[in-house]
Amino acid sequence: MKSLKLFTAIALTAILGFTSCQSNESEEVGTNPNTNSSTSPTASNYERAAKNNGSEDDFLDGNACTELLFPLTATVNGKQITLISKLDFSTVLNIMGEFNDDSDAVTFNFPIRVKTSNYTEVIVNNQAELDALKEECEQAEEVGKDAISCIDINFPVTMLTYSISLEQTGTVVLESQEQLYTFMTDLQSDELFAVNYPINVTLSNGTSTEINSDTEFQNAVSECVQYEEEKDEAKETAVEVEAILTGTKFKVESFVTAGVDTANEYADWSIEFTNDLKVVAKDVVNATLNEVEGTYTVSSEIEAFVTIDFASNTTVSALGNDWVVTNYSSALITLKSKTDASVTLAFKKI
């Protein structure tokens, strides 16, 4: 390995015509031969990270590989909406969130325009064509060729290009994600490249970090993909838990605070979660007592959460909290406080 590094360094420094800046870049790559072919894992990572991300509008088209282009008109749960920009997404989400026990239905007024993951604009004339694009996306996901959307490269990024004999052939400054994608997909079999590190990236959890090598970039990709998988699993859990809660009455099976189970204090109460995100507590023994109404939401990050909010100074106020879902079945949901894991609550279906 030492002989190879020495040979590479000599070969690179012998090339005539470099500027002093180019010479420094060559020496850096020569002492750490970080050159990659078009079929290398590094090339694949950068190509996937540079693909157009169409996941922001998945609640409409269910396809992470296509970006819906404006304007477009769709019928959402029977209501026709014209979307001019992403600002109109909130209108659609409000319609979808009105009730949580219905099946949201989206019908587009075709033709519509979409931008695919390779930045090609396509006119989609009917639902069958849209479904075909979705199937292509699912196939790409299965073989690990879909977009890596959990890492954003901060541009500009400089690429050093080489021939297969490790002779530097140029320097390319890339200013955007699309330019990076084009650079990667245009690489020929007799061309090599090296990333001029360091570069900076922003991960989907909001953190920014400096990347100093192909290995560090690979590690960052692996970590963020794992983070996204955990988010997806939590989202699925949230959907399932919300379906169990909605329209169902429960009793407090256990409520442990400071090591003491106070479930008996709620033995006469039923807790019902309605389909419009209200939670209603009712004393089933003493009908003269007024119902206590609050609200609830089910959400997720890398865990699933149930947030319950009752007004203060009511019999069931203590049940209000930001809860983490720890376990669930069709009959029993167990929770722990988001801020104090020693506080736990279990609801059992009546």
Side-chain angles (χ1 to χ4, degrees), residues 58-337:
D58 282 3
F59 61 93
L60 279 168
D61 65 359
N63 186 350
C65 300
T66 57
E67 174 191 356
L68 296 171
L69 299 179
F70 304 106
L72 63 89
T73 301
T75 301
V76 181
N77 293 351
K79 298 179 181 180
Q80 183 168 296
I81 303 293
T82 297
L83 293 87
I84 304 300
S85 71
K86 292 180 180 180
L87 296 176
D88 296 314
F89 284 170
S90 59
T91 302
V92 176
L93 291 171
N94 287 338
I95 294 173
M96 290 180 166
E98 188 174 2
F99 301 103
N100 60 358
D101 63 346
D102 58 345
S103 296
D104 295 315
V106 178
T107 303
F108 292 103
N109 289 16
F110 295 101
I112 62 174
R113 295 179 305 119
V114 302
K115 184 183 289 186
T116 65
S117 58
N118 64 3
Y119 296 92
T120 301
E121 290 193 15
V122 176
I123 296 177
V124 182
N125 295 292
N126 50 55
Q127 187 63 45
E129 292 182 4
L130 193 61
D131 290 342
L133 289 174
K134 183 177 180 180
E135 185 176 350
E136 288 179 12
C137 184
E138 292 171 349
Q139 292 173 352
E141 290 175 353
E142 289 176 2
V143 297
K145 292 186 177 181
D146 55 320
I148 298 173
S149 59
C150 58
I151 189 166
D152 288 329
I153 298 170
N154 299 329
F155 294 94
V157 169
T158 300
M159 295 291 180
L160 312 177
T161 58
Y162 296 87
S163 67
I164 56 175
S165 61
L166 293 183
E167 179 182 358
Q168 184 171 354
T169 57
T171 301
V172 181
V173 178
L174 304 172
E175 300 284 353
S176 68
Q177 194 167 290
E178 184 172 357
Q179 287 183 10
L180 175 58
Y181 179 81
T182 301
F183 174 85
M184 288 299 165
T185 54
D186 283 351
L187 281 172
Q188 303 300 306
S189 59
D190 59 347
E191 294 178 320
L192 303 176
F193 74 95
V195 184
N196 190 27
Y197 294 106
I199 65 171
N200 289 291
V201 301
T202 302
L203 306 179
S204 56
N205 62 7
T207 61
S208 296
T209 186
E210 183 177 274
I211 303 295
N212 293 286
S213 68
D214 292 342
T215 300
E216 288 187 13
F217 188 68
Q218 173 65 64
N219 291 340
V221 166
S222 298
E223 289 174 8
C224 81
V225 167
Q226 181 180 355
Y227 177 79
E228 289 299 299
E229 289 174 352
E230 291 173 355
K231 284 178 60 178
D232 289 342
E233 290 175 5
K235 185 177 181 179
E236 291 177 8
T237 295
V239 169
E240 292 171 2
V241 167
E242 187 171 41
I244 294 169
L245 289 174
T246 303
T248 306
K249 291 182 179 181
F250 294 84
K251 68 176 183 178
V252 176
E253 180 72 3
S254 69
F255 183 33
V256 178
T257 304
V260 179
D261 190 346
T262 58
N264 286 338
E265 296 180 10
Y266 306 94
D268 296 340
W269 290 81
S270 68
I271 309 294
E272 180 181 4
F273 296 84
T274 69
N275 70 346
D276 56 353
L277 299 177
K278 292 183 175 63
V279 55
V280 180
K282 182 177 181 180
D283 190 317
V284 296
V285 175
N286 188 351
T288 62
L289 294 179
N290 292 329
E291 295 178 348
V292 180
E293 185 175 294
T295 60
Y296 77 99
T297 57
V298 183
S299 60
S300 66
E301 292 173 9
I302 57 174
E303 295 179 296
F305 306 108
V306 178
T307 299
I308 300 174
D309 186 21
F310 284 112
S312 59
N313 301 320
T314 69
T315 307
V316 293
S317 296
L319 301 180
N321 205 332
D322 291 326
W323 300 103
V324 180
V325 178
T326 56
N327 206 349
Y328 67 98
S329 68
S330 59
L332 184 69
I333 295 177
T334 60
L335 311 165
K336 68 178 179 181
S337 170

